Amino acid sequence: AFEFSVEAYYKEMDNLITYLPGEGFTGSEDWEDKVISGGLGTSYGVEWFVQKKKGNTTGWIGYTWSKSDRHFPNTVINNGQPYPFRYDRRHDFSFVLVHKINDHIDLSGTWVYSTGNVVTLYESQYNTPDWNTVQHYPSKNNFRLPSYHRMDISLQFHKQKKKGVRTWALSVYNLYNRANPFFVMFDNYYNGTWNDKRALVQYSLFPVLPSVSYSFKF
């Protein structure tokens, strides 16, 4: 009734490319002038998985511990020092549970959690004599966003028809209305007002979202 597995992985990469400081996808210049090559990278981790396949209550639990970094030695990228990759996430956990109430009604729930992504933020800024603003970045990907987690639930009603099975589903996405980070930026507008001092403000998407869906399987 139960299935259990453990997997480990390790990968080394070379000849990687990344944008030069201050460059991005936009602009009319050739992309070759915006990037630097010769980067190194490592990615490794361990994955655990447990699944229950039989009975009125089924589901699975998955957990991954991982680490991923990049290194552009002898370059301007992070002063030639290793740094965490954009999608480096130390912990990734998911839990799925499905309960068959009777032959016509199923109740399911999902909870996911993951370590926040890393981003690059400046540590300080100052004005030059000609009033240009200069920002100081201590290192690349030096700030980690808050963790991401949410719960989804769904109640499904099935009925056998002549040509198939129809299903109505009542679902709620992000049940406890977690304000997960979409991006962060320094802003003077926070707590509903404009302020003299700038603060690091988090912006989120997708609050609690109820929905109704219909499907037909034949």
Side-chain angles (χ1 to χ4, degrees):
F2 288 89
E3 177 183 312
F4 176 75
S5 64
V6 178
E7 297 182 3
Y9 64 93
Y10 179 86
K11 182 179 182 180
E12 293 184 349
M13 295 157 277
D14 56 18
N15 293 322
L16 301 176
I17 65 173
T18 191
Y19 284 114
L20 288 164
E23 296 290 356
F25 179 75
T26 59
S28 59
E29 301 86 355
D30 292 336
W31 69 269
E32 294 93 340
D33 297 329
K34 297 183 176 184
V35 300
I36 190 170
S37 60
L40 308 174
T42 59
S43 181
Y44 54 90
V46 182
E47 300 176 350
W48 289 268
F49 181 79
V50 180
Q51 183 177 20
K52 184 178 184 294
K53 295 183 175 181
K54 297 181 179 180
N56 290 332
T57 302
T58 57
W60 52 269
I61 297 174
Y63 171 72
T64 301
W65 181 94
S66 62
K67 192 175 188 303
S68 182
D69 58 30
R70 296 290 185 267
H71 186 198
F72 288 79
N74 303 316
T75 68
V76 297
I77 305 299
N78 203 43
N79 295 318
Q81 300 301 311
Y83 61 91
F85 183 47
R86 175 71 177 84
Y87 299 105
D88 174 68
R89 291 181 175 179
R90 198 70 69 248
H91 307 285
D92 197 312
F93 177 87
S94 56
F95 174 65
V96 176
L97 190 66
V98 180
H99 180 66
K100 182 178 180 181
I101 299 175
N102 54 46
D103 291 338
H104 304 286
I105 304 176
D106 296 334
L107 177 65
S108 62
T110 302
W111 188 74
V112 295
Y113 171 92
S114 64
T115 302
N117 287 335
V118 290
V119 295
T120 304
L121 297 178
Y122 64 86
E123 189 177 70
S124 60
Q125 67 178 18
Y126 59 91
N127 292 326
T128 63
D130 54 357
W131 296 103
N132 289 322
T133 300
V134 178
Q135 298 170 341
H136 171 64
Y137 294 85
S139 60
K140 187 176 177 65
N141 291 343
N142 60 315
F143 182 83
R144 188 173 292 277
L145 296 176
S147 299
Y148 178 100
H149 58 85
R150 75 169 201 275
M151 176 177 285
D152 307 331
I153 61 170
S154 178
L155 188 62
Q156 299 182 333
F157 300 89
H158 312 284
K159 188 172 183 179
Q160 181 68 50
K161 296 290 187 177
K162 290 183 178 180
K163 296 184 179 181
V165 178
R166 72 106 174 102
T167 299
W168 282 100
L170 306 177
S171 305
V172 180
Y173 176 90
N174 195 8
L175 178 65
Y176 50 83
N177 200 29
R178 162 72 174 177
N180 286 302
F182 182 66
F183 69 92
V184 294
M185 63 179 296
F186 288 101
D187 202 341
N188 292 89
Y189 184 80
Y190 52 92
N191 295 330
T193 60
W194 287 96
N195 300 269
D196 293 334
K197 294 183 178 180
R198 306 186 79 189
L200 186 62
V201 182
Q202 171 183 301
Y203 293 88
S204 304
L205 297 177
F206 304 122
V208 54
L209 292 175
S211 64
V212 178
S213 63
Y214 175 87
S215 63
F216 190 85
K217 182 184 292 186
F218 54 90

